[in-house]
Amino acid sequence: MTELFASVHAIELVLVLIGLEAIGLILLWRMGRCPLPPLATLLILAPGTCLLLASHAVLAGAAWSTVSLLFLVALVIHLIDLRQRWQERARRNAAE
């Protein structure tokens, strides 16, 4: 078990699970059983996915520029998600 967590394989497993989660939530949305549209689902999952990819890159010995780029992408997507949520909240408050 120690070897699993000391290698990139644990991160790869979690990335696969995140992909399956995204697919499952999008399928549930298409069936009308999940309130989150696909874009919202992806905006929620993408920053964490980028952080996991950055961790994977570090463990795999990637260049610092690759890791920094993944951190930057995670931040940008997170900020986009926050803006979307704030706009939705403002629309709801204005409708009340």
Side-chain angles (χ1 to χ4, degrees):
M1 194 59 111
T2 302
E3 290 177 19
L4 173 68
F5 287 100
S7 70
V8 297
H9 300 301
I11 293 172
E12 291 168 348
L13 175 62
V14 174
L15 288 169
V16 168
L17 292 173
I18 290 172
L20 292 172
E21 178 184 12
I23 291 168
L25 289 171
I26 290 169
L27 289 174
L28 286 172
W29 178 79
R30 291 187 80 191
M31 295 183 326
R33 300 187 67 197
C34 177
L36 294 174
L39 179 61
T41 298
L42 295 178
L43 284 175
I44 290 169
L45 296 176
T49 301
C50 287
L51 294 175
L52 283 169
L53 288 171
S55 300
H56 186 283
V58 167
L59 289 173
W64 68 267
S65 56
T66 302
V67 177
S68 296
L69 179 64
L70 288 165
F71 283 144
L72 180 61
V73 171
L75 174 64
V76 169
I77 296 171
H78 174 65
L79 293 174
I80 291 169
D81 182 34
L82 281 177
R83 192 183 98 222
Q84 294 274 96
R85 291 173 191 244
W86 285 344
Q87 288 175 344
E88 287 174 20
R89 176 76 52 114
R91 281 192 295 270
R92 272 190 257 133
N93 288 342
E96 292 177 351

